[in-house]
Amino acid sequence: MHALPLVCEDVLTAFDHPEDGDDLDAAIVEVLIQRLANKSLAHRDALIGQFVWSGDFSVAAGGSLTSFSCRVGAIGKLFVADSLGVYRTGSAIESSVTQAKIEGGGGTLGAVARYWYVYAFLTTLGAVDYAISLTGPSSDKRFKSGDATRVYVGCFRTLSTGAPLPAHKVGGCYLYRASALGSNELRVINVSAATGATNQSLAALVPPHARMAKLTLAATGDSNEAALSIYYPGDTAAASARLYAATGFSASAQVDVATDDSQTVDYAVTGSGSPAATVHVAGFYE
């Protein structure tokens, strides 16, 4: 037997094939099979990780480290290899993913504040299944890092108690469900005096693979107008967002700002007297 080395390419030229009366030997057949096999490999590689779904993902309120529920929207098409390396296509209706899908079979998130990641994969029967892992997505945010059989669906943050923070994701936009959380669980900045440019980490509420945060800004003016400014870290030449509050008045706004790869921003508060400002992380973009 002769093993053909495959090349991942789809050459757009016409096929030459024998006509009636032409010789048909192994060399001629090999050329045809080679072209078809190369095309097949190119098309398969282009489709690996093809994930057509609603883009909806949510984490229910009231969960604990051993009892919680995530909702994954309907999946129209998922094309990946199963555990045996066989490439399959699967689909699924909207599904509930619980502690039963935590990798390792422990059934608990642990009483630790950290991020967990949800992945979809295919069984050897071609059925869609799910896994909850501590391993984040690959740099292209498509697969589980180091495992192209798992396709990234969404993530969630836990408190130090292990309870997941409730959130909703549509497409690549996450919003925390603030109404189901304590008033300070999403707060990252709380000042009551003028403050020069200061670095602030958002990493407790913005995951490592995200570079855009959705913030709720609030400011109160005292004896003069107050201004709360958010900057890209290390770059105060121009603000990413700025909120003004008149003397004796309060103001609020929701803004989207870029972060660096450590999920930090800089902020500053100006104004005389005791200008006050708070910042809450409303969500983030993937």
Side-chain angles (χ1 to χ4, degrees):
M1 297 295 291
H2 174 51
L4 290 177
L6 301 185
V7 180
C8 185
E9 64 180 19
D10 185 355
V11 179
L12 299 179
T13 56
F15 275 84
D16 293 324
H17 58 86
E19 295 182 335
D20 291 343
D22 291 339
D23 291 334
L24 182 62
D25 56 24
I28 294 175
V29 173
E30 179 176 316
V31 171
L32 296 175
I33 294 176
Q34 181 80 66
R35 287 281 302 278
L36 292 172
N38 289 351
K39 284 177 177 287
S40 178
L41 178 62
H43 297 171
R44 187 203 70 182
D45 284 0
L47 289 173
I48 292 174
Q50 180 77 6
F51 190 35
V52 180
W53 70 307
S54 68
D56 298 333
F57 175 79
S58 64
V59 183
S64 70
L65 75 170
T66 57
S67 179
F68 62 90
S69 177
C70 303
R71 299 293 294 179
V72 178
I75 295 174
K77 182 185 298 181
L78 172 61
F79 180 72
V80 288
D82 65 18
S83 60
L84 299 179
V86 178
Y87 287 87
R88 303 180 185 277
T89 300
S91 61
I93 62 173
E94 183 181 63
S95 303
S96 176
V97 180
T98 70
Q99 62 280 353
K101 299 301 182 181
I102 297 174
E103 289 182 340
T108 179
L109 298 170
V112 182
R114 56 188 173 184
Y115 290 100
W116 288 86
Y117 305 89
V118 180
Y119 298 95
F121 66 94
L122 295 179
T123 70
T124 55
L125 298 177
V128 175
D129 204 348
Y130 301 93
I132 301 174
S133 174
L134 285 170
T135 302
S138 53
S139 58
D140 59 7
K141 304 177 187 177
R142 192 173 184 182
F143 302 102
K144 178 182 178 183
S145 182
D147 186 351
T149 69
R150 265 55 173 167
V151 172
Y152 177 66
V153 172
C155 68
F156 60 89
R157 176 77 175 182
T158 56
L159 300 172
S160 60
T161 61
L165 291 176
H168 293 267
K169 169 189 174 182
V170 177
C173 178
Y174 277 80
L175 286 178
Y176 288 109
R177 188 176 163 189
S179 61
L181 295 169
S183 59
N184 295 332
E185 285 174 347
L186 301 179
R187 192 178 69 188
V188 290
I189 296 171
N190 182 33
V191 295
S192 57
T195 305
T198 303
N199 190 252
Q200 176 62 48
S201 173
L202 309 178
L205 294 161
V206 178
H209 62 279
R211 299 292 182 273
M212 185 78 71
K214 182 176 286 291
L215 305 179
T216 300
L217 312 183
T220 301
D222 188 18
S223 55
N224 203 343
E225 179 183 69
L228 167 60
S229 302
I230 306 293
Y231 303 97
Y232 187 82
D235 183 5
T236 57
S240 300
R242 180 169 287 133
L243 175 68
Y244 294 97
T247 303
F249 289 88
S250 297
S252 63
Q254 194 168 91
V255 298
D256 299 333
V257 299
T259 73
D260 63 6
D261 56 9
S262 59
Q263 293 70 54
T264 64
V265 294
D266 286 349
Y267 74 93
V269 178
T270 60
S272 58
S274 299
T278 61
V279 176
H280 291 73
V281 176
F284 56 89
Y285 296 88
E286 293 190 308

